[in-house]
Amino acid sequence: MGYTVLVVDDSETIRGALVKAFKMAKLPMEEVVQAGDGREALDVLKGKWVDMVLTDINMPNMGGVELLAAMKADPGLKDIPVAVVSTEGSQTRMTSLKEAGIAGYLRKPCRPEEIRDLLHSVLGEWS
Amino acid sequence: MKNEMFQAMEIVAPRILEEAAFLFSEPLDESAIPSEAWHPVGVELRWNGPSTGVMRLWADPALLAVIAANMLGIDEDDPVSQAKGADALKESLNMIVGNCLTEAWGPGPVFLLDVPRRIEESFASADHDEGLWLSTEGKSVFLWCGA
C-alpha cells in the first residue's frame, strides 16, 4: 500500500526522473501513473483513481494550467490535489496558480527530499 | 551580447547541469574550443513576456546519454539512456531558460515558454563569439542566447 500519483510531463526523461526521486526519497508508492500532457491526464483520470497529480505547466495539446481548470470544473476530479512541478519561477504566476487551487509548487530541478516534503504536506505521511 | 541573460547563463547553466544531471562544468579553455567541423546536437527554446528571446544549447553527442542516464539513475550504456539523450538535453535547456529568466528579471515577470525543440541548423551558423562555452565532464557544450 502507498500513494498513487499521476505524473504529467511531456518529457519521458522528467517523468522517469520523478519516479527515480520517489524511490530515492523512500516514499511508499502504490503506483506511479504517467501522462504526456493534460489531455492524456484527463483520459487517465476517467478510469483511474489517484491520490494526487504532479504536473508540468508548459506542454503541447493541453498544459498544466488548463488541466487544473478542467479538473476543478469536474465534480469527480475537483478534490484531487494538483501540484505543479515546473521550471518557471515567477511569483506572479505562482500566486495565480495558488488562487486557481494548486496544492503545491516545486521548481525544476527539484531534489528528492523536496518531493517527499511536498507529498507529505499534501497527503500526510503514510502510516 | 554580454547582457543580463548572458550573465545569468554563466551562473545558471553549470548549476542546472550539476543539480539535474550531476555533471560538473567549467569554462572551456579558449584553446580547446572545437573547430567549425564539430558536429554537436542542438536544441532551442523560445520565450515571450517582458522580453522575447531564444536560447540554443549545443552539446557533444557523447554527453547526451550521460545526461539522460544521470537524470534517470541508470547506466549510460543502457539503451534507454541512448534513446532519451535528446529529450534529456531539451529538458536541461528548459530548466536553464526558466531559471535564467528569474535570475535576469527577478521573480515578478511572467514569461511564456515554448516547448523545447531539436534544431537542425548547423552549429557552424551560430555566432561563436556571442555565447558561453563550457567543458562539462570534459565534453564541449555551447550556449547561445539571442532575440
Side-chain angles (χ1 to χ4, degrees):
Chain A
M1 295 291 285
Y3 305 120
T4 297
V5 173
L6 171 60
V7 173
V8 190
D9 200 300
D10 56 318
S11 164
E12 283 186 59
T13 308
I14 292 295
R15 299 199 307 263
L18 284 168
V19 171
K20 181 191 82 169
F22 294 145
K23 288 178 187 161
M24 288 177 72
K26 297 185 168 54
L27 285 162
M29 305 306 291
E30 174 75 17
E31 188 177 2
V32 182
V33 194
Q34 300 186 28
D37 60 39
R39 275 189 208 159
E40 270 186 34
L42 290 173
D43 283 344
V44 168
L45 291 167
K46 280 179 192 165
K48 181 87 191 171
W49 182 86
V50 302
D51 292 303
M52 183 176 180
V53 175
L54 289 179
T55 183
D56 188 16
I57 294 178
N58 298 311
M59 294 177 287
N61 303 318
M62 180 188 272
V65 175
E66 294 81 9
L67 170 63
L68 177 68
M71 289 180 64
K72 292 300 176 192
D74 185 327
L77 303 178
K78 68 181 175 60
D79 293 326
I80 297 174
V82 179
V84 168
V85 183
S86 170
T87 64
E88 292 192 31
S90 163
Q91 291 292 335
T92 311
R93 168 80 100 172
M94 211 177 302
T95 301
S96 70
L97 286 168
K98 281 179 184 164
E99 287 169 357
I102 62 162
Y105 181 92
L106 284 180
R107 188 148 192 216
K108 296 177 191 171
C110 44
R111 298 190 302 273
E113 55 270 32
E114 292 175 309
I115 293 170
R116 180 198 60 211
D117 292 347
L118 173 68
L119 264 67
H120 284 171
S121 72
V122 174
L123 300 173
E125 289 195 40
W126 192 266
S127 55
Chain B
M1 189 207 62
K2 305 287 183 188
N3 61 14
E4 292 88 348
M5 278 300 278
F6 183 88
Q7 290 165 7
M9 278 194 321
E10 287 184 305
I11 297 165
V12 168
R15 176 172 67 79
I16 295 297
L17 290 169
E18 181 179 343
E19 291 180 3
F22 312 107
L23 296 174
F24 294 95
S25 304
E26 57 186 1
L28 185 67
D29 190 84
E30 205 165 304
S31 63
I33 290 175
S35 69
E36 291 192 0
W38 187 46
H39 294 295
V41 175
V43 291
E44 78 167 20
L45 178 54
R46 295 180 178 275
W47 65 87
N48 290 292
S51 81
T52 59
V54 57
M55 191 178 289
R56 291 178 178 151
L57 167 62
W58 281 275
D60 194 294
L63 197 56
L64 272 61
V66 181
I67 297 173
N70 288 1
M71 282 184 172
L72 293 167
I74 58 179
D75 195 275
E76 66 185 76
D77 294 326
D78 190 308
V80 174
S81 301
Q82 305 290 329
K84 303 294 178 215
D87 183 52
L89 190 67
K90 286 193 280 190
E91 284 310 308
S92 300
L93 179 62
N94 195 18
M95 288 185 262
I96 290 169
V97 170
N99 284 271
C100 276
L101 288 168
T102 310
E103 180 76 25
W105 289 81
V110 177
F111 290 91
L112 298 176
L113 276 61
D114 283 354
V115 174
R117 69 177 190 95
R118 182 98 176 248
I119 49 173
E120 303 304 330
E121 287 91 338
S122 163
F123 169 74
S125 66
D127 187 342
H128 300 178
D129 295 330
E130 297 289 341
L132 174 68
W133 282 101
L134 294 173
S135 171
T136 301
E137 303 289 323
K139 302 285 191 298
S140 299
V141 168
F142 182 70
L143 269 160
W144 175 91
C145 182

